[in-house]
Amino acid sequence: MKPFKTIFTFLLFFVCTNSIAQSTNSQKIIGCWKVTKFELKTEIENSSEIIKDAINNEVCFDAKGNFITTNAEDKTIGNGTFNLSEDGKTIFQKSNDEINDIGGNAEIELLNEKTIILKSDYFTMSFEKK
């Protein structure tokens, strides 16, 4: 009976920890974030322009699971929905604009009250809370 209690306790702890991580990250990500750094993992045509255009863009996440991205001139350049993985370590975005799809998923490398760092197969982005 003792091994059962040990396994049950471990599973309960694991489930609670994952639930807390997702809940905490869900709360931390709400708000507006300014892109401070953008790096492409592979250089592509117009890389420098893409990077320059991304810096100072703002992404706002709301509690209902929506996001909106605006450029430095406050012009909306994209919007859609987002959610976090169960463990709170991956963000999934789906763009409402099929032509300029800015969706996808990225690993949350760092998320605190002031900073987000996201990594995907294609880029690393750093954000600062506005």
Side-chain angles (χ1 to χ4, degrees):
M1 189 68 149
K2 193 161 184 143
F4 177 73
K5 281 185 176 181
T6 304
I7 292 170
F8 179 75
T9 303
F10 174 75
L11 288 174
L12 182 62
F13 175 76
F14 181 73
V15 169
C16 289
T17 302
N18 278 345
S19 177
I20 290 168
Q22 181 184 18
S23 174
T24 301
N25 282 353
S26 294
Q27 294 167 358
K28 285 181 187 175
I29 203 165
I30 302 305
C32 294
W33 300 84
K34 184 172 102 175
V35 178
T36 57
K37 188 175 185 182
F38 183 69
E39 297 173 344
L40 294 169
K41 293 200 176 172
T42 305
E43 192 160 325
I44 58 173
E45 186 178 335
N46 300 324
S47 291
S48 57
E49 283 183 44
I50 292 168
I51 292 168
K52 182 181 172 190
D53 288 344
I55 301 298
N56 294 321
N57 283 349
E58 184 176 290
V59 181
C60 295
F61 299 97
D62 71 22
K64 294 180 182 178
N66 299 302
F67 75 89
I68 187 165
T69 304
T70 55
N71 63 16
E73 290 83 38
D74 287 332
K75 180 181 176 191
T76 298
I77 57 174
N79 60 41
T81 58
F82 79 96
N83 61 21
L84 298 181
S85 61
E86 286 187 28
D87 63 5
K89 295 180 181 180
T90 304
I91 184 169
F92 302 96
Q93 290 181 275
K94 179 160 178 27
S95 178
N96 290 337
D97 183 358
E98 292 179 16
I99 296 170
N100 297 313
D101 188 7
I102 55 173
N105 63 314
E107 297 298 314
I108 300 171
E109 183 173 275
L110 174 69
L111 174 57
N112 60 38
E113 293 77 21
K114 296 180 181 182
T115 306
I116 299 176
I117 298 176
L118 301 177
K119 285 191 172 189
S120 80
D121 293 338
Y122 309 105
F123 64 82
T124 300
M125 293 179 82
S126 298
F127 300 82
E128 192 174 275
K129 187 83 171 216
K130 286 210 53 169

